[in-house]
């Protein structure tokens, strides 16, 4: 199987994310990887960073094969998957609040 080589790390991450979404479904991908984990590439290692050990173990158990398949398809057959816990991750993934004018100013 020939890897789908991408030019830069950002493009590689996007290609892996796209392949992973194909494998697990868009809804699961959005739930687990858009808001609860970060995917990165370092050399031939797919890095999956989570905010806590519980989430890390869950993703390892439920998605390791899918992650490995996506990584090896995009990055090559020698690619490996590594899970990392970063307790500060929720702050990094938090979306800026979308303040709206409620028309209740001055109360």
């Amino acid at each position: 199987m020939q890897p789908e080589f991408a030019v830069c790390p950002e493009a590689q991450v996007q290609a892996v994310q796209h392949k992973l979404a194909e494998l697990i479904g868009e809804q699961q991908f959005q739930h687990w990887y858009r808001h609860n984990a970060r995917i990165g590439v370092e050399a031939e290692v797919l890095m999956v960073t989570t905010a806590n050990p519980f989430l890390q173990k869950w993703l390892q158990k439920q998605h390791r094969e899918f992650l490995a398949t996506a990584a090896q398809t995009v990055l090559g057959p020698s690619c490996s998957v590594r899970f990392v816990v970063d307790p500060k991750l929720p702050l990094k993934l938090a979306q800026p609040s979308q303040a709206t004018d409620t028309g209740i100013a001055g109360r």
Side-chain angles (χ1 to χ4, degrees), residues 22-71:
E22 286 179 4
L23 294 169
I24 66 172
E26 187 64 32
Q27 185 176 8
Q28 281 221 20
F29 177 80
Q30 290 295 327
H31 177 75
W32 294 110
Y33 296 96
R34 287 285 185 223
H35 304 292
N36 294 304
R38 173 176 290 140
I39 294 176
V41 174
E42 292 181 17
E44 290 187 349
V45 179
L46 181 70
M47 304 293 291
V48 180
T49 306
T50 63
N52 60 61
F54 174 81
L55 183 56
Q56 176 191 17
K57 288 178 183 176
W58 193 93
L59 291 176
Q60 282 177 312
K61 182 178 179 184
Q62 301 296 323
H63 291 173
R64 178 181 284 283
E65 289 183 39
F66 298 117
L67 287 159
T69 298

